[in-house]
Amino acid sequence: MNSTNIILTGFMGSGKSSVGRVLAKELNTYFIDTDALIENFENMSIKEIFETQGEEVFREKERYCFKWIKNNVKNTVISVGGGFPVFIPEIKEAGIVIYLRVGFEEILKRMTDEEIKKRPLFQDIKKAKELYLKRDKIYTDLADIIIENKEIDQTVNRIKEALWK
Ligand code: S3P
């Protein structure tokens, strides 16, 4: 994998963390997730950060996280929050960017109520769909590789094939 990070992007609920965990294991490396890094650092959930400090402050924390990754992390599979590449288009400076694409209706089908509750920007389904449509283009434009994420093992194999090409 050289020393390059593999960065998984995509909308909320597109399976970045699930795919990332399996991919990292197959590549014999570690998996990290920017939301989890931020939650650990702040000792607060993403939902609490949004509620008590607002989205703007959360985006600053993501920017700080990006700088830390760029300066300190290599050879790692990284899953980033759905808004990360939208607010930090320089994301490519930290690794190969892979967009895990899933249709909005499919995301709705896959997400549990519990998973929806954790995500402040997924509380209003109509607004979430508008956000999805806007972001699909941004994720596509920023990606080095685009993979339709239907099923984890198939997705992981497709990523590996695309990386070895
Ligand atoms: C967000 C996505 C979330 C989390 C935060 C904001 C977004 O991450 O970073 O709730 O703006 O799309 P997931 O993509 O892991 O749900």
Side-chain angles (χ1 to χ4, degrees):
M1 194 164 99
N2 299 324
S3 59
T4 317
N5 293 310
I6 295 173
I7 305 174
L8 303 178
T9 69
F11 201 68
M12 293 172 268
S14 57
K16 291 164 288 188
S17 301
S18 313
V19 169
R21 263 183 221 112
V22 177
L23 180 66
K25 196 132 214 193
E26 292 210 8
L27 298 176
N28 281 320
T29 187
Y30 286 110
F31 166 73
I32 59 173
D33 173 280
T34 57
D35 283 342
L37 290 175
I38 293 170
E39 287 184 329
N40 289 341
F41 187 77
E42 302 296 329
N43 198 20
M44 230 190 254
S45 70
I46 300 295
K47 187 170 178 264
E48 283 169 328
I49 298 173
F50 267 72
E51 280 169 2
T52 58
Q53 303 176 52
E55 181 173 351
E56 194 94 334
V57 173
F58 173 69
R59 298 303 171 196
E60 275 166 29
K61 295 183 192 305
E62 282 192 314
R63 237 165 272 135
Y64 182 78
C65 185
F66 172 68
K67 276 191 208 141
W68 179 81
I69 287 173
K70 217 180 109 181
N71 292 330
N72 297 286
V73 180
K74 57 182 185 176
N75 210 22
T76 295
V77 177
I78 305 165
S79 158
V80 299
F84 201 98
V86 179
F87 291 86
I88 308 166
E90 317 88 88
I91 190 168
K92 275 181 151 176
E93 293 167 14
I96 298 172
V97 176
I98 302 180
Y99 172 23
L100 290 188
R101 198 178 179 285
V102 181
F104 187 74
E105 303 308 321
E106 186 57 33
I107 287 177
L108 273 187
K109 260 192 248 165
R110 288 186 200 177
M111 266 174 120
T112 62
D113 288 349
E114 201 59 39
E115 284 168 334
I116 290 182
K117 261 191 223 140
K118 279 193 236 159
R119 294 173 164 90
L121 299 181
F122 216 113
Q123 298 312 300
D124 179 328
I125 304 291
K126 200 168 156 260
K127 279 195 191 147
K129 174 137 198 205
E130 283 166 14
L131 199 59
Y132 174 92
L133 294 172
K134 230 194 283 170
R135 286 183 174 178
D136 182 42
K137 185 173 167 5
I138 300 174
Y139 298 141
T140 302
D141 290 346
L142 278 173
D144 295 303
I145 298 167
I146 300 170
I147 308 273
E148 294 287 329
N149 182 23
K150 294 206 171 78
E151 191 269 319
I152 297 183
D153 289 340
Q154 187 196 52
T155 299
V156 168
N157 285 335
R158 286 191 181 156
I159 292 174
K160 287 196 316 201
E161 274 166 29
L163 289 172
W164 303 156
K165 252 187 214 162

